[in-house]
Amino acid sequence: MAKIIGIDLGTTNCAVAIVQSGEPSIIENAEGARTTPSVVAMSKTGERLVGLLAKRQGVTNPKNTVYQIKRFIGHNFDEEAVQKDKAAVPFEMRKSANGGIEVQMGDKWYRPEEISAMILQKLKQDAEAKLGETITEAVITVPAYFNDTQRQATRDAGKIAGLDVKRIINEPTAAALAYGFNKKKNEKVVVFDFGGGTFDISVLEVASAEDGENSIEVRSTDGDAHLGGKDLDQNIMHWIADEFKKESGIDVRNDPLGRQRLDEAAEKAKIELSSSLETEINIPFITSDASGPRNLLLKLTRAKLEDIAREYIDRAMQISKRAMEASPFKVGDINEVILVGGQTRMPAIQKAVEEFFGKKPHMGVNPDEVVAIGA
Ligand code: AMP
């Protein structure tokens, strides 16, 4: 039987899984990584890059590096949310003949489906190389709030990439499937998904159907499309830059390369502080002044990071409260809470979730892989 791959086509990162010997597992990409950045670029030499290579050259080639295309797929150009998101990205966008969206890379214009297809194509090719066979079928996940147009556009992206999309399934449903919660009856499951760029929360109910097959229903879903790990990184970046400015008088944010190194250092420090209580931020030769090259060396504690992140964690918990209120259940009715998205590795987020729901959330399946595993 031909193999079908499960794809988590994320806003910031993607993952691919396959069932082998009855067990789902993640397929590594050509770079040996288990997730692939959702970034496509036309390099300065005219080469098309997808994934990590595209992400890496983004700062020095911002106009031709397209990221977060998932925000635009299945939307019309004139929508308010689109106009807002457009203002925040460095690549060019325009209205297509039918009122849709086109983005520019090099001297060509592409529909969001075509950009997503380039990502899917890489995922497909890398999976084929790993498995040593041709893959033509896939299951792709989408957010629970995606409408029919967004779902159809995702299907179309699959088709352009040469994939017959057997199913489009909801991301929270996939996460619940990965934990096998479809096998239990009358479970009420919350999926708390804090990723790189977006926050989503869904309340699911596992219902037993007459034919004996359990179904998973989304009973409420809420979120913030502009709340994610990247926002935390930005606040950390500003903290680092401000601290450095206090001692040196120099604002390294103004220099694009300095800015990139700050961004990378901010995310690295954040990730380290998920497993340690204190970390050192060390950027050699960040800038230079009359006295010669300057190094940036700072300590950041987990407590300080939690201060910096507090407003975002509080926002996520406010939205969680709203999602519960919109569902037919009370917090006490919830049987299971699943954490999805790399940012949920942050202990302060796990603690906030545990306090709100009154139970320890599940993290047994890697939070950036759980959706693809479910798919
Ligand atoms: P995702 O969109 O699910 O791939 O999540 C990516 C986000 O998770 C990024 O903002 C990462 O910085 C963040 N992240 C990944 N690992 C960790 C970690 N160990 N601690 C805190 N944040 C993390």
Side-chain angles (χ1 to χ4, degrees), residues 12-13 195-196 229-230 267 270-271 274 341-343 345-346 368:
T12 39
N13 290 300
K230 273 208 163 66
E267 184 178 15
K270 177 189 76 177
I271 290 174
S274 287
Q343 193 55 56
R345 290 207 182 84
M346 183 179 202
D368 16 59

Side-chain angles (χ1 to χ4, degrees), residues 181 185-190 203-206 219 328-330 333-337 359:
F181 289 148
K185 275 189 189 133
N186 307 321
E187 283 279 278
K188 291 156 192 79
V189 182
V190 163
V203 183
L204 312 181
E205 184 176 20
V206 182
R219 300 304 300 263
F329 312 122
K330 292 191 202 61
D333 298 335
I334 300 301
N335 305 103
E336 317 277 356
V337 182
K359 53 172 53 71

Side-chain angles (χ1 to χ4, degrees), residues 251-267:
D251 196 337
V252 271
R253 272 167 293 216
N254 300 330
D255 162 43
L257 269 179
R259 173 65 187 258
Q260 185 192 6
R261 293 178 74 197
L262 282 177
D263 284 343
E264 285 168 0
E267 184 178 15

Side-chain angles (χ1 to χ4, degrees), residues 8 10-14 35-36 55 193-198 228-233 266-275 305 340-347 349-350 366-369:
D8 170 10
T11 309
T12 39
N13 290 300
C14 301
T35 58
T36 301
K55 183 179 173 180
D193 181 349
F194 205 130
T198 59
K230 273 208 163 66
D231 298 295
L232 269 68
D233 300 347
E267 184 178 15
K268 184 166 167 274
K270 177 189 76 177
I271 290 174
E272 281 169 7
L273 289 172
S274 287
S275 49
L305 170 70
V340 178
Q343 193 55 56
T344 60
R345 290 207 182 84
M346 183 179 202
I349 292 184
Q350 294 169 12
N366 206 330
D368 16 59
E369 301 177 357

Side-chain angles (χ1 to χ4, degrees), residues 5 7 120 124 135-138 155 158-159 161-165:
I5 50 175
I7 301 177
L120 289 170
K124 173 183 186 290
I135 301 283
T136 56
E137 296 177 330
R155 256 181 205 286
K159 203 166 169 191
L163 287 167
D164 174 13
V165 181

